[in-house]
Amino acid sequence: MKYVGGAARAAAEEQTTGERRTRNRVASSILGHGPSTAADLAERLGLTQAAVRRHLDALVAENIVEARDQRVYGSRGRGRPAKVFALTDCGRDAFDQAYDQLAADALGWIAQSAGGGEQGEAAVTAFARARVAAQAERYRELIDAAAPDERAQALARALTADGYAATARSAPGPAGEQLCQHHCPVAHAAEQYPQLCEAEAEVFSRLLGTHVQRLATIAHGDGVCTTFIPQAHQGRPAAAPEEPAAPAPPVRPPAAPPDPAAKSASPAGPAAPVSAAGPAEFAEPAVPTRTDHAPVSTSGRNPA
């Protein structure tokens, strides 16, 4: 993705993140209060009904919530019952923190079983690397099939399919790209065990074929996990180091006939050196020759 208008692009990213947070608030309100109408949600969240309906449409498209007819107990008045919005099974899974806590507990058990301290941290690191390595195998085929300058976007699409809501955009200037993950399914566990984030960055580096730099993580309190990918990920072929642009020594053709016009007028002195630069303005001035011969060429080129 080409970088067009850095400030505008960054503002668009922030707007996307802000909208996702608002949608999470809408879904959380439904989780805490049960199926709700757009009017109920607008009142609880301090939003307009139009804004709530726009976020509800997006949540329905993502299969987080679904619209149902409102159940009416007792006598029902005229008109169609209002639509209420309830969480789907997928939506409930998104809020289920039991698995995240279970993962943190399991990592703690691994660390303690390995003896704690540095040995425990090493065991957690080994587990984290094994986990993301298996995840990377599913990504490798997609990334290898992409053009070199589109691999960051291919990685973002693969991460999005796994629930990370990732995007890739050009960083300001020609330095590289930024991979942004707007959601982290293991943020709670990664807060306690940063080895998960470190192992993920290592996998990104191997998949893209270049060193990457993690700039921010949700686990550390940032709004977005941001990874900087330098321009080297475009996979330019390696070239030999450039040598100084010094001209090679002139080589005289073995079969070149002598040029009578190029003879020096002074038989005792050596012939004037030929400039390797070629153009006449950089050569030494030619010594005048006898007028009964052809004029001396000042082009600096070998007539042969």
Side-chain angles (χ1 to χ4, degrees), residues 100-101 103-105 107-108 124 186-196 219:
D100 202 8
Q101 184 59 50
D105 292 343
L107 290 173
V124 172
V186 295
H188 180 67
E191 183 179 355
Q192 302 178 53
Y193 299 97
Q195 293 96 321
L196 296 174

Side-chain angles (χ1 to χ4, degrees), residues 216-262:
T217 61
I218 296 174
H220 291 166
D222 300 302
V224 179
C225 293
T226 306
T227 305
F228 175 73
I229 304 169
Q231 218 171 22
H233 84 279
Q234 295 182 1
R236 293 188 297 269
E242 294 186 2
E243 299 195 7
V251 178
R252 297 181 182 275
D259 184 4

Side-chain angles (χ1 to χ4, degrees), residues 11-295:
E13 291 286 349
E14 292 179 2
Q15 182 179 3
T16 300
T17 303
E19 289 184 352
R20 184 166 295 278
R21 289 175 180 170
T22 303
R23 290 173 192 171
N24 288 340
R25 290 179 58 207
V26 172
S28 297
S29 182
I30 296 174
L31 177 69
H33 296 84
S36 307
T37 65
D40 294 335
L41 291 166
E43 183 178 357
R44 287 199 295 262
L45 300 175
L47 302 172
T48 65
Q49 291 193 37
V52 168
R53 290 186 183 280
R54 181 168 58 85
H55 291 299
L56 286 171
D57 289 342
L59 290 170
V60 169
E62 294 175 1
N63 194 30
I64 301 297
V65 303
E66 61 182 358
R68 301 175 181 173
D69 289 333
Q70 186 178 30
R71 291 184 179 180
V72 178
Y73 300 94
S75 60
R76 188 177 70 182
R78 290 184 176 182
R80 298 178 60 183
K83 290 286 185 181
V84 295
F85 295 86
L87 289 177
T88 63
D89 291 340
C90 179
R92 289 186 178 278
D93 289 343
F95 285 98
D96 193 351
Q97 299 298 322
Y99 294 112
D100 202 8
Q101 184 59 50
L102 177 63
D105 292 343
L107 290 173
W109 184 87
I110 291 173
Q112 293 299 323
S113 298
E118 293 183 358
Q119 293 180 343
E121 292 182 2
V124 172
T125 299
F127 169 81
R129 287 174 174 169
R131 173 185 174 274
V132 295
Q135 186 180 14
E137 288 304 314
R138 296 186 287 108
Y139 297 168
R140 185 175 299 280
E141 184 177 354
L142 296 173
I143 295 173
D144 289 347
D149 58 347
E150 296 179 356
R151 288 175 181 168
Q153 297 181 43
L155 177 57
R157 289 192 293 270
L159 288 167
T160 297
D162 277 350
Y164 289 87
T167 59
R169 63 182 180 89
S170 295
E177 293 182 87
Q178 285 184 352
L179 177 69
C180 299
Q181 296 161 259
H182 301 274
H183 179 65
C184 178
V186 295
H188 180 67
E191 183 179 355
Q192 302 178 53
Y193 299 97
Q195 293 96 321
L196 296 174
C197 298
E198 295 167 1
E200 185 180 67
E202 291 174 1
V203 165
F204 289 170
S205 178
R206 289 200 300 270
L207 288 173
L208 298 174
T210 184
H211 175 72
V212 302
Q213 183 180 3
R214 183 57 63 81
L215 303 179
T217 61
I218 296 174
H220 291 166
D222 300 302
V224 179
C225 293
T226 306
T227 305
F228 175 73
I229 304 169
Q231 218 171 22
H233 84 279
Q234 295 182 1
R236 293 188 297 269
E242 294 186 2
E243 299 195 7
V251 178
R252 297 181 182 275
D259 184 4
K263 292 181 179 180
S264 172
S266 177
V274 178
S275 171
E281 58 268 26
F282 298 108
E284 297 241 354
V287 179
T289 59
R290 292 170 53 186
T291 57
D292 55 345
H293 288 269

